[in-house]
Amino acid sequence: GPVRVMPKPLTQSLDAIVALIEKEFPGCAWFVGRGRISHDEPMGGARIFADEAGDNCIGEGEAATPALALVAAFCEAKAAQAKEQENG
């Protein structure tokens, strides 16, 4: 009969994305939160800052979970970094 492969469930752990952020943006700071102000907002939100002072946001994201929001923030930060490098 047919072979069925079930995908592994998504993780709520931040370990992998935090390790990647720290590798790609050493010395940065980040925060992540869970909750919403209005019913149509995602439950997760995150920001990544260029340094520990938290004055220069380099990426932010919202998603269904805090872990996915941090992934979205990382993607935004990497896209901005690539654009910056491209423009010299």
Side-chain angles (χ1 to χ4, degrees), residues 51-76:
D51 55 39
E52 291 184 12
D55 295 327
N56 183 15
C57 181
I58 59 174
E60 52 189 341
E62 292 183 326
T65 67
L68 292 175
L70 196 52
V71 170
F74 172 77
C75 290
E76 183 175 278

Side-chain angles (χ1 to χ4, degrees), residues 26-63:
C28 75
W30 55 271
F31 76 79
V32 64
R34 184 174 193 274
R36 59 173 76 134
I37 295 171
S38 65
H39 72 297
D40 59 342
E41 288 184 328
M43 281 299 283
R47 286 188 176 170
I48 301 172
F49 298 92
D51 55 39
E52 291 184 12
D55 295 327
N56 183 15
C57 181
I58 59 174
E60 52 189 341
E62 292 183 326

Side-chain angles (χ1 to χ4, degrees), residues 17-30 48-51 58-59 73-82 85:
I17 188 60
V18 167
L20 186 58
I21 290 168
E22 291 174 350
K23 177 184 173 209
E24 295 294 319
F25 299 104
C28 75
W30 55 271
I48 301 172
F49 298 92
D51 55 39
I58 59 174
F74 172 77
C75 290
E76 183 175 278
K78 285 301 286 181
Q81 182 185 58
Q85 290 173 347

